[in-house]
Amino acid sequence: MTDLSLQTKLVSLPAHKDQHGASVPPLYQSTTFRQTSLDEDAAQAYDYTRSGNPTRTIVQQQVARLYGVDSDQVFAVSSGMTALDVILRSLVLNSSSGGASAPPPTVIAGDDLYGGTQRLLTFLGGRAHARALHADTSDFDRFVAVFDAQPRVDCVVLESPTNPICKVADLPRLTAFVKQRNKDCLIVVDNTMMSGLNANPLDFQCDVVYESATKYLNGHHDIMAGVIITRNRALAQQVYFIVNSTGCGLSPLESWLLVRGLKTLGVRLYQQQHNAMVLAHWLESSCGFRRTPQNKALVTRYVGLRSHPQFQLHRSFNRGPGAVLSFETGSFEHSKRLVTSKRLRIWAVTVSFGCVNSLISMPCKMSHAAIDPKLRKQREFPEDIVRLCCGIENIADLQHDLLAAMIDADIVECQDNGKTIFNKLNGLRGPNTTGKGALPNIYDEFFGAHLASTESQVVRAPKL
Ligand SMILES: *Cc1c(COP(=O)(O)O)cnc(C)c1O
């Protein structure tokens, strides 16, 4: 039999024994498990939930299938940040074996990182637990220069694409370079922006992957969770030591909910990406958010757009573009008016992404506010950037909602009886295609006039 697709594996759980034949694996909301024997060779799989819990095991098995590894190489923990903390503590911070006088391990990370990652690395650097350096990982040569300037690099933390600027790091090339220079340098990839469905960094030379399962994997913004996936058992054992020692393993209830969330990852991510594709093209072509020789301030950033400078590179090692995009108005005030517009009914002004609901935010005031404004400036972080995280709603509703808010914020206006959208900030005009991108009705898709003759069973690519 051919191997099952990832979508199918996430829906169908591995066989589990249950006294009542329950279809859904039960929630073992229990901290302790009665021992039937005191003999060591009769040791049972579970004794105390800090060390292991059957419901957590199920979610770890499912994530293992997503990444194509054995389930003992996967750990579900209490958040995405916990995942990074555990990885650094178990595999990096103890790597200087030279005693107290040894220099702290050197970690190189991107310069456009998730805010929490930045905060944790800064904390470790401040306590001399690690020396954290930052490099633009989307610029291979610059990364090589930073790497080669160090006497030794113990760990590299990579993230691609970045959020919300959507910079792409060439992960296959970077990881090959790092391993060729020093095979002991631990390569860690934060795969939250893609999820295991779109990318598997274990396919190239990365040692440990983690994801904030709070985002796509769970998808409903009702739990915090993180997952760690290691390349091999030796790394897994070290990670397990910290999980078991500290008790940061995912709780039974959250594990149970995450198993449920994972079942719909395939359809959710498909629809979210479809919506993001339609919106990004619409913002760029209809609403005028694109660079022109006269005005470079307005732009739409999304790795799914051909105009993205790394469109091909991203596509070369990912199966999808994700559902996070951003655009710049060139004006902080206009962006702020848009995000605070009372006309937004669907787009929730919220941090985070990956949820079934669509979210809008102004990163420099929200998710990235913790980064020092001076540092944001130095890293050319645009203060006017608006981030959109697409959910699974009807795309036409999402467009109408955003258009109303853009009109309210004095950014665009509709002309020619609504046939044209005029961007007041750069003077560009585009055809108003709002509402044209809806997924086709299932009957039309199969039996539409042009398909009637073929009765095609094949689902066509939905039209943008
Ligand atoms: C959200 C996020 C994290 C942190 O995950 P939490 O579950 O919020 O702790 C780490 N990296 C990226 C890219 C994220 O988006």
Side-chain angles (χ1 to χ4, degrees):
M1 200 181 96
T2 54
D3 200 17
L4 297 177
S5 68
L6 293 179
Q7 284 86 345
T8 305
K9 285 180 180 170
L10 292 174
V11 178
S12 56
L13 298 170
H16 64 105
K17 283 197 227 84
D18 178 73
Q19 57 182 330
H20 303 296
S23 315
V24 173
L27 163 57
Y28 284 94
Q29 188 73 20
S30 179
T31 48
T32 46
F33 298 84
R34 197 178 296 148
Q35 303 299 296
T36 53
S37 161
L38 295 182
D39 293 340
E40 252 173 54
D41 12 322
Q44 293 169 215
Y46 304 102
D47 60 353
Y48 192 51
T49 282
R50 172 153 46 70
S51 310
N53 176 285
T55 314
R56 195 190 303 148
T57 299
I58 302 271
V59 80
Q60 291 175 168
Q61 282 171 348
Q62 288 302 82
V63 174
R65 298 173 94 196
L66 183 59
Y67 279 91
V69 298
D70 285 338
S71 60
D72 53 9
Q73 288 161 248
V74 174
F75 301 93
V77 294
S78 56
S79 73
M81 287 320 303
T82 301
L84 178 61
D85 182 45
V86 167
I87 293 165
L88 292 174
R89 254 197 285 179
S90 57
L91 302 173
V92 180
L93 300 188
N94 61 1
S95 65
S96 305
S97 49
S101 59
T106 297
V107 179
I108 300 183
D111 67 351
D112 180 22
L113 293 167
Y114 176 69
T117 309
Q118 173 84 33
R119 177 167 49 208
L120 185 60
L121 290 174
T122 305
F123 168 81
L124 295 173
R127 300 283 167 110
H129 291 315
R131 203 163 66 92
L133 305 172
H134 298 277
D136 180 353
T137 49
S138 69
D139 181 338
F140 183 77
D141 295 333
R142 211 175 308 164
F143 176 85
V144 168
V146 173
F147 190 97
D148 282 346
Q150 313 310 317
R152 178 191 154 91
V153 179
D154 298 276
C155 174
V156 172
V157 179
L158 300 169
E159 197 184 312
S160 181
T162 62
N163 147 34
I165 308 212
C166 304
K167 279 202 290 194
V168 178
D170 189 343
L171 297 183
R173 189 169 178 214
L174 286 167
T175 55
F177 160 77
V178 170
K179 286 294 175 187
Q180 176 251 321
R181 280 287 199 276
N182 172 11
K183 68 175 175 29
D184 297 328
C185 178
L186 187 86
I187 302 179
V188 180
V189 173
D190 178 341
N191 199 31
T192 309
M193 280 284 281
M194 284 292 101
S195 91
L197 208 52
N198 271 345
N200 185 352
L202 295 175
D203 290 344
F204 25 91
Q205 297 183 51
C206 130
D207 299 297
V208 189
V209 186
Y210 71 100
E211 256 191 75
S212 165
T214 313
K215 313 290 168 57
Y216 290 118
L217 297 191
N218 182 58
H220 293 75
H221 278 186
D222 47 14
I223 64 162
M224 302 286 307
V227 292
I228 302 170
I229 305 97
T230 63
R231 169 168 295 286
N232 57 41
R233 258 188 208 130
L235 291 169
Q237 277 167 0
Q238 295 179 67
V239 169
Y240 176 70
F241 181 85
I242 298 287
V243 173
N244 185 32
S245 302
T246 60
C248 62
L250 195 61
S251 75
L253 178 60
E254 308 333 63
S255 299
W256 189 86
L257 285 167
L258 183 52
V259 170
R260 183 167 74 166
L262 278 168
K263 289 182 185 176
T264 54
L265 177 63
V267 284
R268 281 189 283 109
L269 193 60
Y270 179 82
Q271 172 105 8
Q272 286 179 269
Q273 294 185 129
H274 174 88
N275 285 349
M277 276 292 208
V278 175
L279 265 167
H281 284 88
W282 175 76
L283 284 167
E284 188 177 58
S285 311
S286 295
C287 304
F289 292 96
R290 59 180 183 273
R291 297 196 206 281
T292 65
Q294 294 78 31
N295 189 336
K296 302 205 179 308
L298 282 73
V299 63
T300 307
R301 297 177 188 262
Y302 183 48
V303 293
L305 286 174
R306 282 177 197 279
S307 59
H308 189 285
Q310 295 157 308
F311 170 80
Q312 286 297 355
L313 173 63
H314 177 84
R315 212 177 153 180
S316 69
F317 64 95
N318 296 281
R319 291 181 283 265
V324 177
L325 61 133
S326 60
F327 64 101
E328 287 162 47
T329 62
S331 152
F332 174 83
E333 277 311 315
H334 282 91
S335 296
K336 192 170 157 204
R337 281 171 67 184
L338 167 62
V339 174
T340 54
S341 168
K342 295 276 174 287
R343 301 296 302 274
L344 290 173
R345 292 181 308 159
I346 308 175
W347 292 93
V349 183
T350 309
V351 294
S352 199
F353 62 85
C355 186
V356 288
N357 301 79
S358 289
L359 315 173
I360 186 169
S361 66
M362 225 176 144
C364 74
K365 287 268 159 212
M366 298 169 67
S367 52
H368 290 59
I371 301 174
D372 185 349
K374 275 201 274 319
L375 194 58
R376 287 205 303 259
K377 191 153 192 205
Q378 190 188 326
R379 294 184 182 166
E380 295 175 359
F381 190 93
E383 301 285 308
D384 62 327
I385 199 163
V386 176
R387 184 177 78 169
L388 301 176
C389 307
C390 296
I392 62 169
E393 302 92 336
N394 183 302
I395 180 61
D397 293 336
L398 290 176
Q399 287 175 312
H400 283 298
D401 210 52
L402 197 58
L403 184 61
M406 287 199 289
I407 293 169
D408 186 40
D410 221 16
I411 295 172
V412 300
E413 67 183 27
C414 288
Q415 300 180 339
D416 308 334
N417 289 328
K419 288 203 201 75
T420 305
I421 297 177
F422 173 67
N423 190 316
K424 296 180 175 181
L425 304 177
N426 64 359
L428 290 180
R429 274 187 183 80
N432 185 358
T433 58
T434 311
K436 298 271 184 349
L439 282 171
N441 169 284
I442 195 80
Y443 285 125
D444 295 345
E445 186 171 39
F446 280 80
F447 308 126
H450 51 295
L451 279 178
S453 55
T454 58
E455 287 200 10
S456 165
Q457 315 89 332
V458 182
V459 177
R460 285 176 300 124
K463 275 189 283 188
L464 291 186

